[in-house]
C-alpha cells in the first residue's frame, strides 16, 4: 500500500456516502499494511425480530470492509473489485453497543483476493467470523 492510514480512512469514509454503508452507519476507523477496520453501531435499525444483531447486517459489515480493503491492492484507473463469495459463522449474539469488522488479507493474487473478517464487540469477543473472496476485473474501456 502506498497510502497513509489517514488517506485510506478518508477515502473509505468518503466513498461510503449515499450507500448501504452510510445507512448502516459503518465508519472506517483503522488501517495498516494488511488490514482495514470499520465499526457499526448495534441498535434496533440492525436488529432481527428477536432484538439481536441481524446476521445480514454482520455480513454487510464484513463485505463492506473486505471489499474496501481490496481497493488498496489494485490500480483503480484500470481495475475494479467485485465480491464473488462470502461466508459467515455467527458465534455470539449482541443486542446493543458497537461491533468492529477487521479484514485481514489471506491471499493476494493478481485476480483473486481472499479476506478473513472478524467481527468483534467492544470487549473483543468474537461475534462472527467471515471469509470473503473478491475478484479483480479489468475496467471496460470506454470510447
Amino acid at each position: 500500500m502506498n497510502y497513509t492510514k489517514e488517506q485510506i480512512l478518508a477515502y473509505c469514509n468518503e466513498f461510503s456516502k449515499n450507500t448501504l454503508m452510510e445507512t448502516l452507519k459503518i465508519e472506517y476507523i483503522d488501517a495498516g499494511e494488511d488490514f482495514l477496520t470499520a465499526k457499526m453501531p448495534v441498535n434496533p435499525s440492525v436488529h432481527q425480530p428477536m432484538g439481536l444483531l441481524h446476521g445480514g447486517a454482520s455480513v454487510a459489515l464484513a463485505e463492506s470492509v473486505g471489499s474496501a480493503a481490496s481497493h488498496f491492492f489494485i490500480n483503480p484507473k484500470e481495475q475494479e473489485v467485485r465480491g464473488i463469495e462470502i461466508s459467515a459463522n455467527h458465534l455470539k449474539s449482541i443486542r446493543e453497543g458497537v461491533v468492529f469488522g477487521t479484514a485481514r488479507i489471506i491471499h493476494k493474487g493478481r485476480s483473486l483476493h481472499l479476506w478473513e473478517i472478524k467481527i468483534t464487540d467492544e470487549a473483543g469477543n468474537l461475534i462472527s467470523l467471515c471469509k470473503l473472496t473478491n475478484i479483480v476485473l479489468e475496467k471496460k474501456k470506454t470510447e
Side-chain angles (χ1 to χ4, degrees), residues 93-110:
S93 59
I94 182 172
R95 291 183 183 278
E96 59 184 16
V98 176
V99 289
F100 301 88
T102 299
R104 291 194 182 278
I105 192 79
I106 296 171
H107 173 76
K108 181 181 72 169
R110 285 177 292 149

Side-chain angles (χ1 to χ4, degrees), residues 11 15 63-85 105 108-115 132-140:
Y11 177 80
F15 76 55
E63 185 156 1
S64 297
V65 73
S67 292
S70 276
H71 282 92
F72 296 99
F73 294 123
I74 66 167
N75 177 346
K77 292 180 179 169
E78 298 177 8
Q79 299 170 306
E80 55 192 13
V81 173
R82 297 284 184 274
I84 58 171
E85 181 182 12
I105 192 79
K108 181 181 72 169
R110 285 177 292 149
S111 60
L112 290 177
H113 296 169
L114 179 61
W115 294 92
L132 172 68
T133 305
N134 290 328
I135 189 168
V136 179
L137 300 171
E138 295 299 316
K139 284 189 174 176
K140 293 192 173 135

Side-chain angles (χ1 to χ4, degrees), residues 25 35 105 141:
K25 297 183 176 35
F35 77 95
I105 192 79
K141 305 270 189 234

